[in-house]
Amino acid sequence: MINCKYTGLTLLRLLLLTAAIDFSSCSKHTYDQTLPSVSFLSVAPYGLSGDSVLISGRVNSPGLSAVQFVGFAYSTQTSFSILNNQFLANVNASPFTAIVPVSPDSTYYFKAFASNSYGYSCSNLFKYAASISGSSAPCNLSSNTALDNGVNYTLSDVNSGGSYATFGTFGVEADNGAYETINIFFNGNPPSGTYTTVANLSALNGDTNPFDVGIEINGNSVNAGCKVYVTVNANKTTTVSFCSGEYQSYENQYASAKITY
Amino acid sequence: MSRCLHFLLFLLLFLILKTGYAQLGLESSFLSPAGDFSYVKKPTVAFTLTLKGGSIDDRYRCGFSIGYCNFKSTQDTIPTTTIQTGGLGNFVLPGYFVYQSYQVASFSFTNDFKILKDANFSPTVGLDLVFYGIAYSDTYYTETLVQASETGNTDWSAGILPQVGIQYVYSSWFLLTANIGRNLSFGSAAPMGFWKTSIGIAYYLR
């Protein structure tokens, strides 16, 4: 004869034990894991008229299937869909870029997006204030001068072109005819925009990010993260400027310069 | 489908009448979505009622079961895109998809085989052939194109569920079981892949 009470208790214990094992083994998948991850990289004035910008983005990971479309959307509002001023870009390019029209002296919010067969995802918003004039370094410098470790120099000899590109594909070299020499290395003849120095100058060779730049002060490379401002002027000259680029000589030193070529 | 169902019902009836025995079982399962299904559905609990032919000593037993579960979505909205082509070029239209509910009723022809003969405690192997009836409600939206909510949608899926487990003859009346299996499905609905871990109790009718 069966003791029903005992049987019931035993079964209940077994049920609870199995349920506990089941729930503890539960996986934590989310739908976001299926989607591409995308970043908005940069926005820079493009051309001479100030009515367009060059924007770039990068797909960090494709998600669970191949990326089908990449592009940008932007607005003067902070909340907008990817259909708002949508520009599709080359899905095979990394980073992917687009040239989009803007109105001077307006503030825009940009975002990049990428889609695959599961859906789409967007980057964070990037705020940009379009201006009529090109951007320049936020330090007070005269053209073709440098301030290196507290000493002012006049850069009387300025040259540019591919033959001055020890790194990258386009170089600018400025010196005072003596012992102060500044070299700036770009990937191509730079359009107006804001560039950022890389950690290692040799990384510029084959670098596909058009907004990477390298600087050498008397043969010493400036640390990563220094902003370099390029403005293509109306007279077809180009002005390159940067402030307080840190580099290592016998001690930590800082240099600023404004060069027009 | 109805011919197949009639055949299976006949087979079960035959087994019960032949042996004069049957067992009525209740099973509680934990369903853990796998593969693509795991990204849209959360794990859930299912309950199944089973009627099998055969006596408590039989090594092979088969029967029918019906079950129910309710899958909840892993997130509120699922982002979607639609490609629009036209004279102005291609545009990616953003949208979303929302499952309000996703309820599944299962109808299975279930088989299991006791590996150790005459042992009270034995490992088992089994194979279920399952038909899933799905009732769901959803909302979908594509910018500039469509926005709609639908309730009372139905869909179906079929699958096989191979299982391994253990059973314990608790008494001449009760049998305890624990199984784990993987559902492999196909059909009109999106594939429902999941791991099924279950425990059950069967009561022998004489």
Side-chain angles (χ1 to χ4, degrees), chain B residues 51-73:
Chain B
L51 181 65
K52 286 183 180 174
S55 77
I56 202 159
D57 298 322
D58 287 346
R59 296 181 75 187
Y60 170 71
R61 289 168 298 135
C62 67
F64 286 99
S65 68
I66 56 172
Y68 170 82
C69 68
N70 181 10
F71 282 106
K72 294 191 184 309
S73 292

Short mmCIF file of all heavy atoms in Angstrom, two decimals, chain B residues 51-73:
data_model
loop_
_atom_site.label_atom_id
_atom_site.label_comp_id
_atom_site.label_asym_id
_atom_site.label_seq_id
_atom_site.Cartn_x
_atom_site.Cartn_y
_atom_site.Cartn_z
N LEU B 51 -1.06 10.35 -22.35
CA LEU B 51 -1.74 9.06 -22.23
C LEU B 51 -0.95 8.06 -23.05
O LEU B 51 -0.75 8.23 -24.26
CB LEU B 51 -3.18 9.17 -22.78
CG LEU B 51 -4.00 7.89 -22.69
CD1 LEU B 51 -4.24 7.50 -21.23
CD2 LEU B 51 -5.32 8.04 -23.43
N LYS B 52 -0.43 7.02 -22.36
CA LYS B 52 0.38 6.02 -23.04
C LYS B 52 -0.19 4.63 -22.81
O LYS B 52 -0.81 4.36 -21.76
CB LYS B 52 1.82 6.04 -22.51
CG LYS B 52 2.65 7.21 -22.97
CD LYS B 52 4.06 7.11 -22.45
CE LYS B 52 4.89 8.30 -22.93
NZ LYS B 52 6.23 8.29 -22.33
N GLY B 53 0.07 3.75 -23.77
CA GLY B 53 -0.32 2.36 -23.61
C GLY B 53 0.81 1.58 -22.97
O GLY B 53 1.94 2.04 -22.90
N GLY B 54 0.51 0.37 -22.50
CA GLY B 54 1.53 -0.50 -21.95
C GLY B 54 1.46 -0.60 -20.44
O GLY B 54 0.93 0.30 -19.78
N SER B 55 2.03 -1.68 -19.92
CA SER B 55 2.02 -1.87 -18.48
C SER B 55 3.30 -1.28 -17.90
O SER B 55 4.19 -0.86 -18.63
CB SER B 55 1.95 -3.36 -18.14
OG SER B 55 3.22 -3.95 -18.31
N ILE B 56 3.39 -1.28 -16.60
CA ILE B 56 4.54 -0.66 -15.94
C ILE B 56 5.84 -1.42 -16.23
O ILE B 56 6.93 -0.88 -16.13
CB ILE B 56 4.27 -0.57 -14.42
CG1 ILE B 56 5.15 0.52 -13.81
CG2 ILE B 56 4.50 -1.92 -13.74
CD1 ILE B 56 4.63 1.02 -12.52
N ASP B 57 5.72 -2.68 -16.64
CA ASP B 57 6.91 -3.48 -16.92
C ASP B 57 7.35 -3.40 -18.37
O ASP B 57 8.42 -3.89 -18.71
CB ASP B 57 6.66 -4.95 -16.56
CG ASP B 57 6.37 -5.10 -15.08
OD1 ASP B 57 7.02 -4.39 -14.30
OD2 ASP B 57 5.49 -5.89 -14.74
N ASP B 58 6.56 -2.83 -19.24
CA ASP B 58 6.91 -2.79 -20.66
C ASP B 58 8.12 -1.90 -20.90
O ASP B 58 8.25 -0.83 -20.30
CB ASP B 58 5.73 -2.26 -21.49
CG ASP B 58 4.63 -3.29 -21.60
OD1 ASP B 58 4.89 -4.47 -21.28
OD2 ASP B 58 3.50 -2.91 -21.99
N ARG B 59 8.96 -2.37 -21.84
CA ARG B 59 10.15 -1.55 -22.14
C ARG B 59 9.81 -0.47 -23.16
O ARG B 59 10.32 0.64 -23.08
CB ARG B 59 11.28 -2.44 -22.68
CG ARG B 59 11.76 -3.44 -21.66
CD ARG B 59 12.87 -4.28 -22.21
NE ARG B 59 14.11 -3.53 -22.27
CZ ARG B 59 15.22 -4.00 -22.84
NH1 ARG B 59 15.21 -5.19 -23.41
NH2 ARG B 59 16.33 -3.27 -22.86
N TYR B 60 8.98 -0.81 -24.13
CA TYR B 60 8.59 0.20 -25.12
C TYR B 60 7.17 0.66 -24.83
O TYR B 60 6.26 -0.15 -24.66
CB TYR B 60 8.67 -0.38 -26.53
CG TYR B 60 8.06 0.54 -27.57
CD1 TYR B 60 8.71 1.73 -27.92
CD2 TYR B 60 6.84 0.24 -28.15
CE1 TYR B 60 8.14 2.58 -28.84
CE2 TYR B 60 6.26 1.10 -29.08
CZ TYR B 60 6.93 2.27 -29.43
OH TYR B 60 6.37 3.12 -30.33
N ARG B 61 7.04 1.96 -24.77
CA ARG B 61 5.70 2.51 -24.57
C ARG B 61 5.51 3.68 -25.52
O ARG B 61 6.46 4.43 -25.83
CB ARG B 61 5.52 2.99 -23.12
CG ARG B 61 5.44 1.85 -22.13
CD ARG B 61 5.55 2.33 -20.71
NE ARG B 61 6.84 2.97 -20.51
CZ ARG B 61 7.00 4.12 -19.87
NH1 ARG B 61 5.97 4.77 -19.40
NH2 ARG B 61 8.19 4.63 -19.72
N CYS B 62 4.30 3.84 -26.00
CA CYS B 62 4.01 4.99 -26.86
C CYS B 62 2.63 5.55 -26.51
O CYS B 62 1.82 4.86 -25.87
CB CYS B 62 4.10 4.63 -28.33
SG CYS B 62 2.83 3.49 -28.87
N GLY B 63 2.41 6.74 -26.94
CA GLY B 63 1.12 7.35 -26.63
C GLY B 63 1.03 8.76 -27.19
O GLY B 63 1.79 9.15 -28.07
N PHE B 64 0.07 9.49 -26.65
CA PHE B 64 -0.17 10.86 -27.11
C PHE B 64 -0.04 11.84 -25.95
O PHE B 64 -0.30 11.48 -24.80
CB PHE B 64 -1.57 10.99 -27.70
CG PHE B 64 -1.69 10.35 -29.04
CD1 PHE B 64 -2.24 9.09 -29.16
CD2 PHE B 64 -1.22 10.99 -30.17
CE1 PHE B 64 -2.35 8.50 -30.39
CE2 PHE B 64 -1.32 10.39 -31.40
CZ PHE B 64 -1.89 9.14 -31.52
N SER B 65 0.34 13.01 -26.31
CA SER B 65 0.35 14.04 -25.27
C SER B 65 -0.10 15.38 -25.86
O SER B 65 0.05 15.62 -27.06
CB SER B 65 1.75 14.17 -24.66
OG SER B 65 2.63 14.69 -25.61
N ILE B 66 -0.66 16.17 -25.00
CA ILE B 66 -0.98 17.55 -25.39
C ILE B 66 -0.33 18.47 -24.37
O ILE B 66 -0.23 18.13 -23.18
CB ILE B 66 -2.50 17.82 -25.46
CG1 ILE B 66 -3.17 17.47 -24.13
CG2 ILE B 66 -3.13 17.04 -26.60
CD1 ILE B 66 -4.63 17.89 -24.09
N GLY B 67 0.17 19.58 -24.85
CA GLY B 67 0.87 20.49 -23.95
C GLY B 67 0.59 21.95 -24.28
O GLY B 67 -0.02 22.26 -25.32
N TYR B 68 1.03 22.79 -23.40
CA TYR B 68 0.81 24.23 -23.58
C TYR B 68 1.99 25.01 -23.01
O TYR B 68 2.53 24.66 -21.96
CB TYR B 68 -0.48 24.67 -22.88
CG TYR B 68 -0.63 26.17 -22.84
CD1 TYR B 68 -1.13 26.85 -23.93
CD2 TYR B 68 -0.24 26.89 -21.70
CE1 TYR B 68 -1.24 28.24 -23.90
CE2 TYR B 68 -0.36 28.27 -21.67
CZ TYR B 68 -0.85 28.94 -22.77
OH TYR B 68 -0.95 30.30 -22.75
N CYS B 69 2.36 26.06 -23.72
CA CYS B 69 3.34 27.00 -23.15
C CYS B 69 3.12 28.38 -23.77
O CYS B 69 2.44 28.52 -24.79
CB CYS B 69 4.77 26.53 -23.38
SG CYS B 69 5.29 26.57 -25.09
N ASN B 70 3.70 29.37 -23.14
CA ASN B 70 3.55 30.76 -23.59
C ASN B 70 4.94 31.37 -23.62
O ASN B 70 5.56 31.58 -22.58
CB ASN B 70 2.64 31.51 -22.61
CG ASN B 70 2.42 32.94 -23.04
OD1 ASN B 70 2.79 33.33 -24.15
ND2 ASN B 70 1.83 33.72 -22.15
N PHE B 71 5.45 31.64 -24.82
CA PHE B 71 6.77 32.23 -24.96
C PHE B 71 6.67 33.75 -24.90
O PHE B 71 5.87 34.35 -25.62
CB PHE B 71 7.41 31.84 -26.29
CG PHE B 71 7.97 30.46 -26.32
CD1 PHE B 71 7.32 29.46 -27.02
CD2 PHE B 71 9.15 30.16 -25.66
CE1 PHE B 71 7.83 28.18 -27.06
CE2 PHE B 71 9.68 28.88 -25.70
CZ PHE B 71 9.02 27.88 -26.40
N LYS B 72 7.49 34.37 -24.07
CA LYS B 72 7.56 35.83 -24.02
C LYS B 72 8.78 36.32 -24.79
O LYS B 72 9.79 35.63 -24.86
CB LYS B 72 7.63 36.32 -22.57
CG LYS B 72 6.35 36.03 -21.78
CD LYS B 72 6.36 36.75 -20.47
CE LYS B 72 5.15 36.42 -19.61
NZ LYS B 72 3.87 36.56 -20.28
N SER B 73 8.66 37.52 -25.35
CA SER B 73 9.75 38.07 -26.16
C SER B 73 10.91 38.51 -25.29
O SER B 73 10.73 38.91 -24.14
CB SER B 73 9.26 39.26 -26.98
OG SER B 73 8.35 38.83 -27.96
#
